[in-house]
Amino acid sequence: MAFHSINGRSVAYRLLGAEVNPLVVLAHPLGMSQAVWDDVIPALLPRYRVLTWDLPGHGASQAVSGVQITPADLAAEALVLAELAGAERFHFAGTSIGGVVGQQLIAEHGDRLLSATLTNTGAVIGNPDLWNTRAGRVRLEGLAAMSEEIVPRWFAPAAFEASPALKAGWCTQMGRGDDESYAQLCEMLGRDTFTGKLSGKSVPHKFRVQLFGGSEDMATPPATLEALAAELDDAPLEIFDGVGHVPAVEAPALFAQKLLVVLATDLGDVANHGVAYATGLETRKQVLGSEHVERSTANSNSLDAPFQQMITRLAWGELWSNDDLTRRERSMITTGILAALGREELTLHLKTAKRIGLTEAELRQVLMHVAIYGGVPAANHAFALAKELGWGE
């Protein structure tokens, strides 16, 4: 876990995975922490970089400063952390109040989104009286006392049957939160809604929106998600049968499977139309780094500009943007081929292998395969070049 100061307040976050992979930002529900994503993250890491953080006064993040908090404040945290990760655009997934953060991003920062997955949330959640009453009670009684009443609303009965310690564990986690931060977030949910603010927002920036809910969700029942789907121009909605308010905890394998489908790059009708140049360019920048791509583009002229466009569409669009292989796997394949052929681009891809996170042992095995199947001299040259670039000790 790391910490970053945002508007004078310490924010706890985790940034996991190779920097060349597309970034996925995950926002947790009210009263919980970034730990809700622990059983989902392993399924994402082979193909994505993952950023999670604790909301104000939750987990290890510092409490609110006393100023009224808004959805814009929470979205600003996500944007600052995404910039810290070096991501121009990112995928977002959020549950409950985390989904409210997502709605703020859709409404005001659609140019930063690759996709938005909103689960168990709504354009309107509950009503002001409900949230103001809860805020008052939390200030008076404290989260530890109220957790016994609130936590059972998060999960379907089957979840408690499958894991008897689930309730006690999340009651403990909730009880450690800051009362005032929780109360202010309750007041925010009663005050700030997104009715009439979301229509048409995804079209200009061409990002995908997907909604998920739970059939047993008491906090944001399916009807609440259906109303949100209507606000989002009839965005697709899937309700998980037998799941409550937090699918990442109750059904992590199912949720990860569904989320991966949303995150996958839509290459369109490749056979008839190819892959869009913009898709290839985004992948090329992620893998090689923006500076390298901008330098290559600046160095091109009328002679090779069409060539640069072709390799961006074909190599980086049709191949590297395809999710059938991970970028780690593609790096090993590409490095092996370039080493066997003795190509000049081997230097670039040995550097890229470091960015992708190949280990020394993995690179060694790639080059030893080259020695057996491509020739010892080719492998010897590749080993020497890799050492010049800082591989090995």
Side-chain angles (χ1 to χ4, degrees):
M1 187 182 297
F3 298 88
H4 187 69
S5 180
I6 302 177
N7 294 326
R9 190 176 57 79
S10 177
V11 175
Y13 72 96
R14 293 180 295 181
L15 181 58
L16 308 170
E19 63 177 304
V20 304
N21 286 336
L23 182 68
V24 180
V25 178
L26 304 174
H28 68 78
L30 181 67
M32 303 184 86
S33 73
Q34 59 184 307
V36 300
W37 306 110
D38 285 358
D39 291 336
V40 174
I41 290 173
L44 303 182
L45 285 179
R47 288 175 169 78
Y48 299 95
R49 200 178 195 196
V50 177
L51 189 153
T52 67
W53 88 103
D54 287 324
L55 295 177
H58 290 61
S61 284
Q62 191 174 347
V64 294
S65 60
V67 179
Q68 185 182 78
I69 198 162
T70 67
D73 296 325
L74 302 182
E77 292 186 0
L79 292 170
V80 168
L81 293 173
E83 289 172 3
L84 193 65
E88 296 178 11
R89 300 178 70 200
F90 55 90
H91 298 280
F92 180 88
T95 297
S96 187
I97 195 173
V100 171
V101 179
Q103 291 173 65
Q104 179 69 29
L105 291 170
I106 291 171
E108 301 294 339
H109 304 282
D111 60 318
R112 301 295 304 277
L113 294 174
L114 293 170
S115 72
T117 301
L118 311 180
T119 95
N120 307 80
T121 188
V124 178
I125 303 176
N127 59 69
D129 287 343
L130 179 153
W131 289 115
N132 291 335
T133 297
R134 183 181 292 188
R137 286 188 59 195
V138 166
R139 289 187 175 106
L140 182 65
E141 303 172 36
L143 283 171
M146 289 193 65
S147 64
E148 292 283 339
E149 173 186 332
I150 295 173
V151 169
R153 293 174 54 84
W154 292 345
F155 303 106
F160 292 121
E161 294 172 8
S163 178
L166 186 66
K167 177 183 174 182
W170 281 109
C171 282
T172 300
Q173 174 66 58
M174 185 178 187
R176 291 172 177 166
D178 176 67
D179 296 340
E180 180 59 26
S181 298
Y182 185 96
Q184 285 200 29
L185 290 171
C186 287
E187 291 168 340
M188 183 197 83
L189 290 173
R191 179 184 66 244
D192 297 310
T193 68
F194 285 87
T195 303
K197 300 177 182 178
L198 302 172
S199 179
K201 295 295 184 177
S202 65
V203 176
H205 307 294
K206 298 180 179 179
F207 62 86
R208 180 176 180 180
V209 177
Q210 174 69 51
L211 307 182
F212 294 117
S215 65
E216 307 303 310
D217 187 352
M218 299 172 63
T220 53
T224 301
L225 271 296
E226 290 167 2
L228 176 58
E231 293 286 340
L232 286 161
D233 306 311
D234 296 321
L237 165 63
E238 182 173 354
I239 301 297
F240 299 145
D241 188 45
V243 174
H245 191 56
V246 196
V249 173
E250 293 178 78
L254 173 63
F255 180 73
Q257 175 190 355
K258 298 293 185 178
L259 181 58
L260 283 168
V261 173
V262 178
L263 300 179
T265 302
D266 182 4
L267 300 181
D269 185 356
V270 177
N272 292 312
H273 303 293
V275 174
Y277 174 80
T279 299
L281 183 61
E282 183 129 30
T283 298
R284 190 179 182 189
K285 286 182 176 181
Q286 289 169 349
V287 175
L288 301 181
S290 294
E291 291 184 3
H292 170 84
V293 175
E294 290 165 3
R295 188 166 57 249
S296 296
T297 303
N299 289 338
S300 66
N301 61 21
S302 60
L303 174 65
D304 66 339
F307 168 73
Q308 290 291 330
Q309 294 168 7
M310 181 187 72
I311 62 174
T312 299
R313 286 186 290 104
L314 296 180
W316 298 105
E318 292 199 18
L319 285 180
W320 282 84
S321 297
N322 186 297
D323 281 340
D324 290 345
L325 295 176
T326 67
R327 291 180 179 178
R328 186 187 201 88
E329 291 165 339
R330 292 191 187 279
S331 176
M332 289 191 282
I333 292 170
T334 305
T335 301
I337 293 172
L338 292 173
L341 296 175
R343 296 294 188 247
E344 180 182 346
E345 273 201 326
L346 177 59
T347 297
L348 172 63
H349 280 274
L350 284 169
K351 294 177 180 177
T352 300
K354 274 187 175 291
R355 284 170 51 82
I356 284 178
L358 255 64
T359 66
E360 180 181 315
E362 288 171 330
L363 178 63
R364 182 187 307 113
Q365 285 301 312
V366 168
L367 299 185
M368 289 176 76
H369 271 255
V370 170
I372 297 300
Y373 294 101
V376 170
N380 187 51
H381 169 73
F383 272 115
L385 184 57
K387 289 165 69 174
E388 289 177 12
L389 295 172
W391 285 91
E393 296 181 359

